[in-house]
Amino acid sequence: MTEVLKDRVAVVTGAGQGIGRSIAERFAKEGAHVAVVDINEELTNETTKIITDAGGSAIAVVCDVSSREAVNAAAAKTVEQFGPISILVSNAGVTRPAMLWKMTDEQFDLVHDVHVKGSFYWLQAVTPAMREARAGNIIFTTSGAGLIGSVGQINYSVAKAGLLGMTRSAARELAPYNIVVNAVAPAAATPMTETIRTDERFKEKYLEGIPMNRWAEPDEIAGTYVYLAGPDCSYLTGQCLSVDGGRTMVR
Ligand SMILES: NC(=O)c1ccc[n+]([C@@H]2O[C@H](COP(=O)([O-])OP(=O)(O)OC[C@H]3O[C@@H](n4cnc5c(N)ncnc54)[C@H](O)[C@@H]3O)[C@@H](O)[C@H]2O)c1
């Protein structure tokens, strides 16, 4: 098997479980050195062990992405261990659902800080070295909620739409340095989607909206990130790929 990410240094945030874990595992299988970044120490160690037990290269980096100091320290630890970062996957995420008339400032701010500020801090942490190298692949995990909205998740929709703006602006600013910036809007069976997948009030209705009429396994999402992080993605930038069974296709 060809290792399309051989010896690349990749940061994957939110890699403790779900989609991030699948991405980290796939990147390592493709030959990358992976910084497994997550706020949850136990999950961070678990993902790292899965990768290293399989013969891959990874380090566990516990980090709350909503703290600039923590992000800078995590980036420094990665560089010290593996060298300059050439792939960033900003994927860490949380939800705090509530109808807009009940949503608190705390719910709004937490979701904004993790998704938007966390991605921005990482973007600023990795781009100086990428600009110097005149190479780099940056991928943000957005959501269908950022494209078509979502009931009971106005905070999350705003944050994910914000990441689309970040993708496009960063793509424009970094294109002269040969750095590509893209986004993925996934839909997968992970702990984050457990309620809408299992609660009788939501599950049928949600599935009806997915033309493929099923949820993806996180592994089905990870391949898109391999493409966006790899050598074949040299001329695609500022785009969002929806890996969602057709849920958000133009109707
Ligand atoms: N699963 C889906 O269908 C779906 C749909 C659209 C978008 N997404 C997005 O995909 C990404 C991954 O989601 P998932 O479904 O794998 O979720 P998940 O809840 O399974 O995993 C999210 C991970 O992020 C980590 N995390 C949370 N806050 C953090 C912080 N402050 N700092 C560092 N790590 C933190 C968690 O510990 C967890 O390991 C998220 O950005 C999510 O919004 C998921």
Side-chain angles (χ1 to χ4, degrees):
M1 187 168 125
T2 55
E3 294 183 320
V4 295
L5 305 180
K6 186 144 184 63
D7 288 336
R8 302 277 302 278
V9 177
V11 165
V12 182
T13 75
Q17 64 179 17
I19 294 168
R21 175 178 282 182
S22 283
I23 297 165
E25 283 189 61
R26 280 293 298 276
F27 278 15
K29 279 185 190 146
E30 294 292 348
H33 303 290
V34 184
V36 175
V37 175
D38 204 284
I39 196 171
N40 183 316
E41 185 172 8
E42 198 183 329
L43 293 175
T44 311
N45 290 335
E46 237 176 67
T47 301
T48 307
K49 188 170 179 330
I50 291 170
I51 293 172
T52 53
D53 282 356
S57 172
I59 49 163
V61 185
V62 178
C63 162
D64 175 354
V65 300
S66 67
S67 154
R68 184 184 278 283
E69 291 69 34
V71 168
N72 288 343
K77 181 177 174 179
T78 305
V79 174
E80 195 187 330
Q81 178 78 19
F82 290 139
I85 297 159
S86 76
I87 300 166
L88 168 66
V89 175
S90 181
N91 167 82
V94 286
T95 55
R96 288 292 181 277
M99 296 306 276
L100 69 91
W101 49 90
K102 289 186 189 163
M103 189 167 288
T104 63
D105 285 357
E106 288 71 25
Q107 288 172 314
F108 192 90
D109 290 347
L110 175 73
V111 170
H112 176 269
D113 288 354
V114 172
H115 294 270
V116 179
K117 281 192 172 170
S119 295
F120 183 60
Y121 295 154
W122 271 106
L123 182 65
Q124 288 194 316
V126 302
T127 41
M130 288 184 182
R131 285 174 61 194
E132 212 175 298
R134 301 190 77 83
N137 298 66
I138 296 170
I139 306 149
F140 295 113
T141 302
T142 179
S143 168
L147 294 162
I148 61 170
S150 174
V151 173
Q153 299 218 83
I154 199 164
N155 50 356
Y156 184 78
S157 300
V158 169
K160 291 305 200 183
L163 288 181
L164 292 169
M166 199 178 298
T167 301
R168 293 166 188 148
S169 294
R172 287 183 186 279
E173 289 193 25
L174 296 170
Y177 300 92
N178 196 38
I179 299 164
V180 292
V181 187
N182 292 291
V184 176
T190 67
M192 184 178 279
T193 52
E194 192 176 344
T195 307
I196 44 175
R197 283 184 293 108
T198 55
D199 190 316
E200 294 300 334
R201 290 173 300 161
F202 311 119
K203 73 176 196 191
E204 290 301 325
K205 192 152 182 258
Y206 203 97
L207 265 186
E208 271 169 26
I210 302 179
M212 294 195 79
N213 204 239
R214 67 173 179 85
W215 288 88
E217 290 305 319
D219 283 350
E220 295 180 80
I221 311 290
T224 301
Y225 287 82
V226 173
Y227 161 66
L228 292 173
D232 280 337
C233 185
S234 55
Y235 200 58
L236 182 95
T237 196
Q239 305 300 320
C240 175
L241 302 184
S242 294
V243 190
D244 63 359
R247 192 171 87 91
T248 56
M249 75 170 85
V250 176
R251 313 165 201 222

